[in-house]
Amino acid sequence: MKTLNKIIAINFVLWMISGLAFGQVPTPAKPQSSPILIKGATLHDGKGKVIENSVVAFSDGKITYVGDNFSEEGYQVINATGKHIYPGAILPTSQLGLVEIEAVSASRDDYETSYVNTEVRSVVAYNTDSHVIPTVRSNGILIEQVIPAGGVFSGRSSIVQLDAWNWEEAIIKENDGQYLNWPSKYRQPSWTSPDKGVKPNKKYAERVKFIRQVLMDGLAYSQAEKQEVPNFPLEALKGIFTGDETLFIRVNDAKSIIEAIKLGQEFKVKKMVVVGGDDAWIVADFLKSNNIPVLLSDVHSLPNLEHDDVDLPFKRAQLLNEAGVKVGLTHSSVSNARNLPFYAGTCVAYGVDKEDALKMITSYTAEILGIDQNYGSLEKGKSATLIITKGDFLDMRNSVVEHAFIDGRKIDLNDKHKMLYEKFRGKYEN
């Protein structure tokens, strides 16, 4: 019996060791050690410019040349003839790194229960060892805005690059904004409810009054003399009144979008962004005149109302783009975030120019998040955060990301999906 128990114990330990070895995420890349030159590819700079047979050179993590003719002397050369070069995609308003398995609460560290969580900093819970991050990175998404959830004021977001040992190394921009969940004017009963149709939200006015009071208190606190013992929730709101931080408002219906923006303007909030924005196209002229960008969520979704065009979710980006509203794309689900480039591709199929669609996941998003001085486009002096693809980056039928660089560091594009594929391919092919 002792021998049997010993064998079982040994087998269990070996199984655990093999599982851990198999399950490790790729090691973060080392800093760029020598100048690199990529030649021969079709370059899409993220601002609408396309260069055939291009040359891109970068050193010490910064782009030193973008064009079509350059000396190769002193550079490590990557021949990318027949391939494409793009800026790394940017995923805004995401909980990647905070949520591992959406249906398993024990794997989530994204939610606070209080109504006002303005002092919460989402980035301190960001898990660089998440197995989901490499699967997203493999599709060319190299930067993320990490946001908290829960309550009315969820807390502060931060912007990170997706290849680091810890959250401190990952940070690109810390505490870039506050996140506000605006109440919905209407509620749809669950599919199990005998009640059908859209119902008014009886608590809407009460919730808006609550938001008004928080903003009023925050503005008054920001204008008062410095407190010896700070009020941390109100202290954390100061940035939206000084312009150092952006107020990201998750709001969907048209009337609520207008009410939310006007309330922010009443209390002198400097920068606001609509997140979600299902009905933003209806009030596009209002958004344009007030210089309010939209981070449009869930392109691949169903329309909200029975009388809506079945293709409306695919068309919203073009309707906003035509009106001159700056649009970035995102997705509310961590598990679907890796498909961000293909959501942009769907927008192309429904009217958006291909280079404009690329902007919606690169330069436009960088501008909305305030990181466009270094990221979002391929220009001299900016960060060498880019990808090389076989096929069209926005086309799920032929897009393959073959190389990725973050700040000039060559990223390991292996992930759990690929490891499982190789594991079982070996099993069944042999």
PDB file of all heavy atoms in Angstrom, residues 27-48:
ATOM      1  N   THR A  27       8.423  34.480 -21.813  1.00  0.00           N
ATOM      2  CA  THR A  27       9.264  35.399 -21.053  1.00  0.00           C
ATOM      3  C   THR A  27       9.294  36.765 -21.732  1.00  0.00           C
ATOM      4  O   THR A  27       9.439  36.848 -22.956  1.00  0.00           O
ATOM      5  CB  THR A  27      10.697  34.858 -20.954  1.00  0.00           C
ATOM      6  OG1 THR A  27      10.660  33.573 -20.344  1.00  0.00           O
ATOM      7  CG2 THR A  27      11.585  35.786 -20.151  1.00  0.00           C
ATOM      8  N   PRO A  28       9.154  37.863 -20.986  1.00  0.00           N
ATOM      9  CA  PRO A  28       9.244  39.194 -21.600  1.00  0.00           C
ATOM     10  C   PRO A  28      10.558  39.395 -22.339  1.00  0.00           C
ATOM     11  O   PRO A  28      11.611  38.897 -21.919  1.00  0.00           O
ATOM     12  CB  PRO A  28       9.127  40.130 -20.394  1.00  0.00           C
ATOM     13  CG  PRO A  28       8.342  39.353 -19.392  1.00  0.00           C
ATOM     14  CD  PRO A  28       8.798  37.932 -19.552  1.00  0.00           C
ATOM     15  N   ALA A  29      10.480  40.128 -23.427  1.00  0.00           N
ATOM     16  CA  ALA A  29      11.654  40.347 -24.276  1.00  0.00           C
ATOM     17  C   ALA A  29      12.656  41.284 -23.608  1.00  0.00           C
ATOM     18  O   ALA A  29      12.292  42.154 -22.813  1.00  0.00           O
ATOM     19  CB  ALA A  29      11.217  40.921 -25.616  1.00  0.00           C
ATOM     20  N   LYS A  30      13.916  41.113 -23.963  1.00  0.00           N
ATOM     21  CA  LYS A  30      14.974  42.000 -23.475  1.00  0.00           C
ATOM     22  C   LYS A  30      14.995  43.282 -24.308  1.00  0.00           C
ATOM     23  O   LYS A  30      14.500  43.307 -25.426  1.00  0.00           O
ATOM     24  CB  LYS A  30      16.321  41.288 -23.550  1.00  0.00           C
ATOM     25  CG  LYS A  30      16.426  40.089 -22.612  1.00  0.00           C
ATOM     26  CD  LYS A  30      17.791  39.424 -22.721  1.00  0.00           C
ATOM     27  CE  LYS A  30      17.889  38.235 -21.762  1.00  0.00           C
ATOM     28  NZ  LYS A  30      19.209  37.555 -21.850  1.00  0.00           N
ATOM     29  N   PRO A  31      15.579  44.361 -23.767  1.00  0.00           N
ATOM     30  CA  PRO A  31      15.653  45.616 -24.531  1.00  0.00           C
ATOM     31  C   PRO A  31      16.366  45.434 -25.863  1.00  0.00           C
ATOM     32  O   PRO A  31      17.222  44.550 -26.015  1.00  0.00           O
ATOM     33  CB  PRO A  31      16.447  46.539 -23.601  1.00  0.00           C
ATOM     34  CG  PRO A  31      16.237  45.977 -22.233  1.00  0.00           C
ATOM     35  CD  PRO A  31      16.131  44.492 -22.412  1.00  0.00           C
ATOM     36  N   GLN A  32      16.012  46.253 -26.824  1.00  0.00           N
ATOM     37  CA  GLN A  32      16.645  46.192 -28.148  1.00  0.00           C
ATOM     38  C   GLN A  32      18.150  46.417 -28.012  1.00  0.00           C
ATOM     39  O   GLN A  32      18.599  47.387 -27.408  1.00  0.00           O
ATOM     40  CB  GLN A  32      16.041  47.255 -29.067  1.00  0.00           C
ATOM     41  CG  GLN A  32      16.600  47.219 -30.479  1.00  0.00           C
ATOM     42  CD  GLN A  32      15.989  48.280 -31.384  1.00  0.00           C
ATOM     43  OE1 GLN A  32      15.152  49.071 -30.959  1.00  0.00           O
ATOM     44  NE2 GLN A  32      16.413  48.303 -32.636  1.00  0.00           N
ATOM     45  N   SER A  33      18.934  45.507 -28.564  1.00  0.00           N
ATOM     46  CA  SER A  33      20.384  45.565 -28.391  1.00  0.00           C
ATOM     47  C   SER A  33      21.123  46.058 -29.626  1.00  0.00           C
ATOM     48  O   SER A  33      22.276  46.472 -29.537  1.00  0.00           O
ATOM     49  CB  SER A  33      20.921  44.176 -28.006  1.00  0.00           C
ATOM     50  OG  SER A  33      20.583  43.212 -28.996  1.00  0.00           O
ATOM     51  N   SER A  34      20.478  45.998 -30.798  1.00  0.00           N
ATOM     52  CA  SER A  34      21.135  46.455 -32.022  1.00  0.00           C
ATOM     53  C   SER A  34      20.102  47.073 -32.952  1.00  0.00           C
ATOM     54  O   SER A  34      18.913  46.708 -32.902  1.00  0.00           O
ATOM     55  CB  SER A  34      21.833  45.283 -32.732  1.00  0.00           C
ATOM     56  OG  SER A  34      20.893  44.274 -33.080  1.00  0.00           O
ATOM     57  N   PRO A  35      20.531  47.997 -33.821  1.00  0.00           N
ATOM     58  CA  PRO A  35      19.586  48.628 -34.750  1.00  0.00           C
ATOM     59  C   PRO A  35      18.967  47.600 -35.699  1.00  0.00           C
ATOM     60  O   PRO A  35      19.645  46.671 -36.144  1.00  0.00           O
ATOM     61  CB  PRO A  35      20.459  49.631 -35.513  1.00  0.00           C
ATOM     62  CG  PRO A  35      21.640  49.860 -34.640  1.00  0.00           C
ATOM     63  CD  PRO A  35      21.882  48.559 -33.940  1.00  0.00           C
ATOM     64  N   ILE A  36      17.691  47.772 -36.010  1.00  0.00           N
ATOM     65  CA  ILE A  36      16.962  46.846 -36.887  1.00  0.00           C
ATOM     66  C   ILE A  36      16.375  47.610 -38.059  1.00  0.00           C
ATOM     67  O   ILE A  36      15.881  48.734 -37.899  1.00  0.00           O
ATOM     68  CB  ILE A  36      15.849  46.116 -36.106  1.00  0.00           C
ATOM     69  CG1 ILE A  36      16.450  45.226 -35.022  1.00  0.00           C
ATOM     70  CG2 ILE A  36      14.954  45.281 -37.040  1.00  0.00           C
ATOM     71  CD1 ILE A  36      15.420  44.578 -34.107  1.00  0.00           C
ATOM     72  N   LEU A  37      16.436  46.988 -39.226  1.00  0.00           N
ATOM     73  CA  LEU A  37      15.859  47.571 -40.428  1.00  0.00           C
ATOM     74  C   LEU A  37      14.943  46.541 -41.086  1.00  0.00           C
ATOM     75  O   LEU A  37      15.334  45.391 -41.291  1.00  0.00           O
ATOM     76  CB  LEU A  37      16.965  48.001 -41.393  1.00  0.00           C
ATOM     77  CG  LEU A  37      16.541  48.690 -42.700  1.00  0.00           C
ATOM     78  CD1 LEU A  37      17.556  49.752 -43.099  1.00  0.00           C
ATOM     79  CD2 LEU A  37      16.389  47.677 -43.842  1.00  0.00           C
ATOM     80  N   ILE A  38      13.715  46.940 -41.363  1.00  0.00           N
ATOM     81  CA  ILE A  38      12.746  46.078 -42.048  1.00  0.00           C
ATOM     82  C   ILE A  38      12.544  46.628 -43.450  1.00  0.00           C
ATOM     83  O   ILE A  38      12.229  47.815 -43.616  1.00  0.00           O
ATOM     84  CB  ILE A  38      11.398  46.051 -41.303  1.00  0.00           C
ATOM     85  CG1 ILE A  38      11.604  45.658 -39.844  1.00  0.00           C
ATOM     86  CG2 ILE A  38      10.425  45.089 -41.970  1.00  0.00           C
ATOM     87  CD1 ILE A  38      10.382  45.888 -38.974  1.00  0.00           C
ATOM     88  N   LYS A  39      12.736  45.782 -44.452  1.00  0.00           N
ATOM     89  CA  LYS A  39      12.638  46.284 -45.823  1.00  0.00           C
ATOM     90  C   LYS A  39      11.695  45.415 -46.659  1.00  0.00           C
ATOM     91  O   LYS A  39      11.449  44.242 -46.364  1.00  0.00           O
ATOM     92  CB  LYS A  39      14.010  46.313 -46.479  1.00  0.00           C
ATOM     93  CG  LYS A  39      14.608  44.937 -46.761  1.00  0.00           C
ATOM     94  CD  LYS A  39      15.902  45.051 -47.553  1.00  0.00           C
ATOM     95  CE  LYS A  39      16.433  43.665 -47.967  1.00  0.00           C
ATOM     96  NZ  LYS A  39      17.660  43.762 -48.773  1.00  0.00           N
ATOM     97  N   GLY A  40      11.152  46.034 -47.708  1.00  0.00           N
ATOM     98  CA  GLY A  40      10.399  45.295 -48.717  1.00  0.00           C
ATOM     99  C   GLY A  40       8.910  45.180 -48.480  1.00  0.00           C
ATOM    100  O   GLY A  40       8.158  44.781 -49.371  1.00  0.00           O
ATOM    101  N   ALA A  41       8.432  45.526 -47.282  1.00  0.00           N
ATOM    102  CA  ALA A  41       7.012  45.339 -46.965  1.00  0.00           C
ATOM    103  C   ALA A  41       6.182  46.538 -47.420  1.00  0.00           C
ATOM    104  O   ALA A  41       6.703  47.627 -47.683  1.00  0.00           O
ATOM    105  CB  ALA A  41       6.824  45.131 -45.470  1.00  0.00           C
ATOM    106  N   THR A  42       4.888  46.337 -47.496  1.00  0.00           N
ATOM    107  CA  THR A  42       3.946  47.444 -47.687  1.00  0.00           C
ATOM    108  C   THR A  42       3.643  48.031 -46.319  1.00  0.00           C
ATOM    109  O   THR A  42       3.150  47.337 -45.429  1.00  0.00           O
ATOM    110  CB  THR A  42       2.642  46.958 -48.339  1.00  0.00           C
ATOM    111  OG1 THR A  42       2.931  46.395 -49.613  1.00  0.00           O
ATOM    112  CG2 THR A  42       1.664  48.108 -48.509  1.00  0.00           C
ATOM    113  N   LEU A  43       3.969  49.297 -46.145  1.00  0.00           N
ATOM    114  CA  LEU A  43       3.830  49.952 -44.855  1.00  0.00           C
ATOM    115  C   LEU A  43       2.518  50.730 -44.774  1.00  0.00           C
ATOM    116  O   LEU A  43       2.181  51.489 -45.671  1.00  0.00           O
ATOM    117  CB  LEU A  43       5.006  50.887 -44.602  1.00  0.00           C
ATOM    118  CG  LEU A  43       4.983  51.649 -43.266  1.00  0.00           C
ATOM    119  CD1 LEU A  43       6.365  51.677 -42.643  1.00  0.00           C
ATOM    120  CD2 LEU A  43       4.462  53.072 -43.442  1.00  0.00           C
ATOM    121  N   HIS A  44       1.792  50.525 -43.668  1.00  0.00           N
ATOM    122  CA  HIS A  44       0.583  51.284 -43.356  1.00  0.00           C
ATOM    123  C   HIS A  44       0.901  52.068 -42.086  1.00  0.00           C
ATOM    124  O   HIS A  44       1.022  51.471 -41.009  1.00  0.00           O
ATOM    125  CB  HIS A  44      -0.597  50.340 -43.134  1.00  0.00           C
ATOM    126  CG  HIS A  44      -0.807  49.358 -44.245  1.00  0.00           C
ATOM    127  ND1 HIS A  44      -1.786  49.518 -45.216  1.00  0.00           N
ATOM    128  CD2 HIS A  44      -0.163  48.201 -44.557  1.00  0.00           C
ATOM    129  CE1 HIS A  44      -1.737  48.494 -46.067  1.00  0.00           C
ATOM    130  NE2 HIS A  44      -0.753  47.688 -45.686  1.00  0.00           N
ATOM    131  N   ASP A  45       1.056  53.379 -42.202  1.00  0.00           N
ATOM    132  CA  ASP A  45       1.624  54.131 -41.068  1.00  0.00           C
ATOM    133  C   ASP A  45       0.630  54.440 -39.953  1.00  0.00           C
ATOM    134  O   ASP A  45       1.012  54.979 -38.918  1.00  0.00           O
ATOM    135  CB  ASP A  45       2.294  55.419 -41.562  1.00  0.00           C
ATOM    136  CG  ASP A  45       1.309  56.504 -41.980  1.00  0.00           C
ATOM    137  OD1 ASP A  45       0.098  56.198 -42.113  1.00  0.00           O
ATOM    138  OD2 ASP A  45       1.748  57.665 -42.165  1.00  0.00           O
ATOM    139  N   GLY A  46      -0.654  54.087 -40.132  1.00  0.00           N
ATOM    140  CA  GLY A  46      -1.645  54.338 -39.091  1.00  0.00           C
ATOM    141  C   GLY A  46      -2.285  55.707 -39.181  1.00  0.00           C
ATOM    142  O   GLY A  46      -3.190  56.029 -38.410  1.00  0.00           O
ATOM    143  N   LYS A  47      -1.820  56.521 -40.137  1.00  0.00           N
ATOM    144  CA  LYS A  47      -2.405  57.849 -40.344  1.00  0.00           C
ATOM    145  C   LYS A  47      -2.931  58.024 -41.765  1.00  0.00           C
ATOM    146  O   LYS A  47      -3.196  59.135 -42.212  1.00  0.00           O
ATOM    147  CB  LYS A  47      -1.385  58.939 -40.019  1.00  0.00           C
ATOM    148  CG  LYS A  47      -1.136  59.081 -38.525  1.00  0.00           C
ATOM    149  CD  LYS A  47      -0.557  60.434 -38.187  1.00  0.00           C
ATOM    150  CE  LYS A  47      -0.655  60.722 -36.695  1.00  0.00           C
ATOM    151  NZ  LYS A  47      -0.154  62.062 -36.358  1.00  0.00           N
ATOM    152  N   GLY A  48      -3.044  56.902 -42.480  1.00  0.00           N
ATOM    153  CA  GLY A  48      -3.610  56.947 -43.821  1.00  0.00           C
ATOM    154  C   GLY A  48      -2.614  56.794 -44.949  1.00  0.00           C
ATOM    155  O   GLY A  48      -2.994  56.594 -46.096  1.00  0.00           O
TER     156      GLY A  48
END
